[in-house]
Amino acid sequence: MSTASAEAWALHRPQPRDVGLLSLAVVGVSLSAPLTAMVAAPMLALAFWRNAAGAAVLVPVLLTRERATLSGLRVRDLRSSVVAGLFLAAHFAAWLPSLSMTTVAASVALVTTTPIWTALAARVSGVRLPASVWWGLLLAFAGVVLIVGVDVTVSLEALAGDALALLGAICAGGYVLAGARARRRLATSAYAVVCYSVCAVVIAVAALLVDAPLSGFQARDWWLIAGITVAAQLFGHTLLNLVLSSVGPTVVSLAVLLEVPGALLFALVLLGQVPPLLALPGVALVVAGVALVVRASRPTTLVEPGT
């Protein structure tokens, strides 16, 4: 690893302002899963409106503050953004239904294993991983096995929910890797507008194919969809990207893992949902393993929240 790359992934002590912004971001992403579990509307509708709104909010930013970055762009420069949008659509299509099939704690813990899959992808591509990464992979795998083992005794539906959450994590890995490639050529707003728009279009087509409505919901569902968009997209992703330059991606990626206990607490308060006690050690092992992978591997991609 080059000196510049290592410095980019170095740990930086957050200032009080950064701690405050990171705290708000973690609260935002932690609310995403419990609020999603409360939505009665089809999950495809939630994913569509969340991404469509995210793209719409960023268009003015792209056309004003970052308009100069559009000059000289070619169609091929957008390919990675389109691929990222396809992976993001697959991520939401897999992960969101899992929240109604297994516990919020299990679903969020399993979907945060994204760094595991990006690390394995790096190894397959020929990158040598430090020994600490393999220990982290082992810890996370043990946690996954424990969670799945508990859900086997709960119901087949819970087990299927676990599988969908893991599939969502794998798709999120593809989204993160494609997004990192896209942002080498595009401003963040340009990348996000293309990615979110592609995701929304794909989900709209999928909703049409399976006859899932995108409108006509109760007012409660519209408020929940708006709340999820504000919490996860505006407070979550936006604030994480805001502090990225000052604290570094390692701190941001580690902070994202606080979403797991945060989502567990919000699920307890909002849903009265208590995960099986035997699953909690598995959740802890997954978080510890992923944290070790993030800290030891120093990947070249920011580990974004998948919720």
Side-chain angles (χ1 to χ4, degrees):
M1 177 181 294
S2 66
T3 303
S5 179
E7 173 60 25
W9 271 89
L11 284 169
H12 301 284
R13 183 184 298 276
Q15 298 300 311
R17 171 182 174 274
D18 299 322
V19 172
L21 293 176
L22 279 173
S23 299
L24 283 175
V26 170
V27 170
V29 296
S30 297
L31 276 168
S32 177
L35 291 179
T36 297
M38 297 170 65
V39 176
M43 291 294 100
L44 287 177
L46 169 59
F48 169 78
W49 287 110
R50 176 174 164 176
N51 283 277
V57 167
L58 289 172
V59 166
V61 177
L62 174 61
L63 296 180
T64 54
R65 292 175 54 188
E66 299 183 345
R67 186 173 182 177
T69 64
L70 297 176
S71 61
L73 274 183
R74 294 164 293 184
V75 174
R76 67 181 183 183
D77 294 330
L78 305 178
R79 290 175 185 170
S80 294
S81 299
V82 172
V83 172
L86 295 175
F87 272 116
L88 186 59
H91 159 73
F92 281 123
W95 174 65
L96 290 178
S98 75
L99 289 166
S100 62
M101 301 168 71
T102 187
T103 62
V104 167
S107 177
V108 173
L110 294 174
V111 84
T112 55
T113 59
T114 295
I116 301 297
W117 308 107
T118 56
L120 290 175
R123 182 66 189 92
V124 170
S125 66
V127 176
R128 295 187 62 182
L129 301 177
S132 297
V133 172
W134 292 108
W135 281 111
L137 291 172
L138 185 60
L139 279 178
F141 179 74
V144 169
V145 170
L146 189 52
I147 292 172
V148 170
V150 171
D151 279 352
V152 166
T153 65
V154 174
S155 68
L156 289 178
E157 182 181 49
L159 185 62
D162 293 344
L164 284 175
L166 280 174
L167 178 59
I170 294 172
C171 293
Y175 157 67
V176 169
L177 292 172
R181 185 179 181 88
R183 278 177 284 189
R184 294 175 186 171
R185 300 183 180 181
L186 299 178
T188 299
S189 61
Y191 154 71
V193 167
V194 174
C195 176
Y196 293 167
S197 298
V198 168
C199 179
V201 169
V202 170
I203 289 172
V205 172
L208 181 64
L209 292 176
V210 300
D211 199 26
L214 296 179
S215 61
F217 313 131
Q218 298 291 330
R220 177 178 181 273
D221 281 335
W222 284 116
W223 280 111
L224 285 171
I225 290 173
I228 293 164
T229 301
V230 171
Q233 296 292 131
L234 300 184
F235 279 103
H237 291 255
T238 302
L239 292 181
L240 289 173
N241 282 317
L242 183 62
V243 300
L244 179 62
S245 60
S246 57
V247 303
T250 300
V251 171
V252 171
S253 298
L254 292 173
V256 167
L257 294 177
L258 294 176
E259 175 191 1
V260 178
L264 193 157
L265 291 175
F266 281 123
L268 180 63
V269 173
L270 298 175
L271 304 171
Q273 189 179 93
V274 181
L277 290 179
L278 290 177
L280 293 180
V283 171
L285 283 174
V286 168
V287 173
V290 173
L292 190 56
V293 169
V294 170
R295 185 66 186 94
S297 64
R298 302 181 184 275
T300 58
T301 55
L302 171 62
V303 182
E304 300 183 27
T307 59

